[in-house]
Amino acid sequence: MAKLSVYLATFALIVFVAHASITTVTVDGENPWGSDCQEQIRRVDHLQACQKYLDEEQCSGSRCRYNRRWNLDSCCQQLEMLDNQCRCPGLRQAAMKQMQKGEMEREEMQEMYEAAERIMSKCDMPPRRCDFASRHRI
């Protein structure tokens, strides 16, 4: 009976850890978490490093790879300064600002949103992935 209790406790712990490690935040509205997130995003320079990283995602060549790595590291540092619930809205805003800077084809816009959604897993911090609302799918 004691072994069964240990197995059940171990199983429950594994399920809990697995669930906690795959948390996804859905960003649906324009400002879903209020002015506190907006203030945090403003304090980290509107995630400029993340905007630069997303811009570099459109680039190819060795110089771009070096810049992309440096910008990703800087982006992760900026994201660490935000509360967990503010990270996805901040990335969404960074992607939108980057798209507003120039003419982009539909496919490029879609690729930028997908790159922004993956940044959290590349930074290895929660939430592991941002899921921008389907209305932003191109």
Side-chain angles (χ1 to χ4, degrees):
M1 191 62 146
K3 283 185 178 181
L4 180 60
S5 296
V6 171
Y7 288 129
L8 288 174
T10 303
F11 178 76
L13 180 63
I14 290 170
V15 169
F16 175 77
V17 169
H19 178 70
S21 68
I22 57 171
T23 303
T24 298
V25 173
T26 301
V27 179
D28 210 2
E30 200 59 35
N31 185 7
W33 288 288
S35 61
D36 184 51
C37 284
Q38 292 303 317
E39 178 60 25
Q40 289 183 44
I41 293 165
R42 187 191 61 73
R43 280 196 316 257
V44 294
D45 199 24
H46 300 279
L47 298 173
Q48 282 290 320
C50 297
Q51 291 180 47
K52 289 177 184 176
Y53 171 77
L54 291 169
D55 187 43
E56 293 291 329
E57 280 288 289
Q58 306 295 317
C59 183
S60 62
S62 62
R63 181 172 179 259
C64 294
R65 280 192 296 272
Y66 171 78
N67 288 340
R68 190 170 28 243
R69 182 71 228 169
W70 187 87
N71 286 324
L72 177 61
D73 291 343
S74 299
C75 175
C76 294
Q77 289 173 1
Q78 287 183 328
L79 287 167
E80 283 180 355
M81 293 182 219
L82 299 177
D83 290 341
N84 289 1
Q85 73 269 15
C86 298
R87 292 173 178 164
C88 289
L91 284 173
R92 183 176 155 269
Q93 285 182 17
M96 290 176 66
K97 284 183 183 237
Q98 198 57 37
M99 283 188 254
Q100 292 170 353
K101 288 183 178 179
E103 293 290 319
M104 296 183 84
E105 295 180 15
R106 295 173 73 100
E107 185 177 304
E108 292 173 313
M109 293 171 72
Q110 182 64 37
E111 288 173 7
M112 184 167 292
Y113 268 120
E114 289 171 1
E117 288 177 334
R118 291 187 303 267
I119 287 176
M120 295 308 302
S121 65
K122 289 182 177 186
C123 291
D124 195 28
M125 65 178 70
R128 297 292 296 164
R129 180 172 165 80
C130 297
D131 185 20
F132 300 128
S134 61
R135 67 186 177 130
H136 296 293
R137 299 283 183 235
I138 308 300

